[in-house]
Amino acid sequence: MNLRALRPYLLAALITLPGLGLHFMHPDMSPLLVALLSGLAILGASFLLTWACEVAQLDIPQAVAVAVVAFIAVLPEYAVDMYFTWMAGQHPESAYSHYAIANMTGANRLLIGVGWTAIVLIFAGRYHAAVQLHDDKRTDVLFLGMATIYALLIPLKGSLTWVDGLIFLAIYAWYIWIIARRPVEEEAPEGPAAVLARLPRRTRLRTVIGIFLFAAVVILFNAEPFSESLVASGKLLGVNEFLLVQWLAPIASEAPEFVVAVMFALRGNAGLALGSLLSSKLNQWTLLVGMIPGVYAVSSGGLSPSINLDTHQFQEILLTAGQSIFAVALLLDLRLSIREAFWLLLLFAAQLFSPFYDVQLEAMLGLPHDPLRLHYFFAQVYLALAVVLLLKNWRKVWLLRLGFKV
């Protein structure tokens, strides 16, 4: 193995070093610089985790790989969100609970609005075809639909409790139980992961464990400075820190998986690329959401009261659930076309940029300003479109039951 083959690993490790230095030296510097350095550290660690997870599945039992590797792969996203949730339990009247929901909803909406659509548009632009998922992905669509239907109840009842968390975790455990029992066709790792795959088994296993430990330390050491400096940067720049946490924080953790998915799409394997992002969406919409009330309960020292959320946060959850059920409705036939991807992207962009035009729109219509008005509007649009598609394709909805089969 030559140095050139290890270049991606060396570069990824190199950009983590300034972030590690922040943890040990505690320099007095601008929160903007801290956010940049700690964000780059998380980004580098995320790439290392992505490659190591791909190789780890060669050496550990499939039942373990599905559950453990899936969790490790999204550790960067969880670390930031769990930090905000933990601090919310320590300071119940603070804005930390709002930041936790912002990060969670932003990550979920980015996966569908940007991740899924990019895969389809890149693949279609090169191969002039829609993206077709494998039949076994019907299970992912089914369980994503189940989790989303339950998520719609949260804003309706106005609380996110430990009971909700247990239900989300149970949905994820049920999903894992099914897919872990299936025979799996091994796929040879590609790109940087292929370098590790060529090592002798014992050396490869030790190397992967070492990468896991190093990346985990980097992420845990940088979760707090990244989260806090992001909020401080928003206040310093006069930018809504809620929006920074919602849209900038997930980028560092989602970028590596997105890059890998794009590479698969460019090579003509868009089904695998979209399937991996679908699994990530299900993971975040069950395991991540399910852990929030549990971490809050441990931090606050009790199961009651539940995490402190207001109307804005519940509207964010409703909007995210609306987008999710619309995406499920589009995937009933396990296929995502260019037109469907375009609508996902258009609706996502419209609600993403709504803060820049909501005041002008309300003035044109002669309505009093309400920052939540467009959130509720887009949630209704998503839900209405989803209901139309689900009713129109009720036979395909019935076929989703096949997703329960091992």
Side-chain angles (χ1 to χ4, degrees), residues 131-147:
V131 175
Q132 184 70 44
L133 291 171
H134 295 220
D135 286 343
D136 61 359
K137 284 300 175 182
R138 183 174 279 109
T139 301
D140 296 61
V141 176
L142 171 63
F143 278 86
L144 179 57
M146 292 168 55

Side-chain angles (χ1 to χ4, degrees), residues 51-61 65 69 204-205 208 212:
W51 299 326
C53 285
E54 192 175 347
V55 177
Q57 297 179 70
L58 300 175
D59 297 309
I60 58 179
V69 173
R204 181 174 66 217
L205 189 58
V208 167
F212 278 157

Side-chain angles (χ1 to χ4, degrees), residues 216-391:
V217 168
V218 171
I219 291 166
L220 293 176
F221 281 2
N222 283 276
E224 178 181 354
F226 178 64
S227 304
E228 292 289 357
S229 60
L230 201 60
V231 173
S233 297
K235 295 177 179 178
L236 183 66
L237 297 173
V239 178
N240 189 323
E241 59 268 23
F242 185 94
L243 294 178
L244 284 181
V245 169
Q246 186 170 42
W247 302 118
L248 286 186
I251 289 177
S253 53
E254 302 284 1
E257 189 172 19
F258 175 69
V259 169
V260 171
V262 167
M263 289 171 57
F264 278 122
L266 289 171
R267 293 170 184 165
N269 201 347
L272 178 61
L274 183 59
S276 68
L277 295 186
L278 170 61
S279 298
S280 295
K281 165 65 180 178
L282 174 59
N283 190 309
Q284 291 187 0
W285 203 218
T286 52
L287 191 57
L288 177 59
V289 180
M291 288 176 64
I292 288 176
V295 171
Y296 181 85
V298 172
S299 178
S300 62
L303 297 176
S304 181
S306 59
I307 186 169
N308 179 33
L309 302 176
D310 61 19
T311 304
H312 188 183
Q313 279 68 58
F314 288 122
Q315 289 287 358
E316 291 286 347
I317 294 174
L318 178 64
L319 178 58
T320 307
Q323 184 204 44
S324 181
I325 198 66
F326 178 54
V328 167
L330 292 177
L331 285 180
L332 289 175
D333 56 356
L334 302 182
R335 182 177 180 274
L336 199 59
S337 67
I338 301 174
R339 183 176 62 179
E340 292 167 340
F342 172 77
W343 279 108
L344 280 176
L345 181 60
L346 180 65
L347 289 171
F348 172 77
Q351 60 86 19
L352 174 65
F353 295 110
S354 61
F356 297 103
Y357 64 82
D358 59 345
V359 176
Q360 292 82 353
L361 181 61
E362 288 168 340
M364 288 174 56
L365 299 175
L367 299 172
H369 178 55
D370 180 359
L372 299 180
R373 191 189 308 278
L374 287 183
H375 270 65
Y376 187 61
F377 169 75
F378 283 112
Q380 288 180 310
V381 170
Y382 278 127
L383 291 171
L385 291 173
V387 169
V388 170
L389 290 173
L390 292 171
L391 291 176

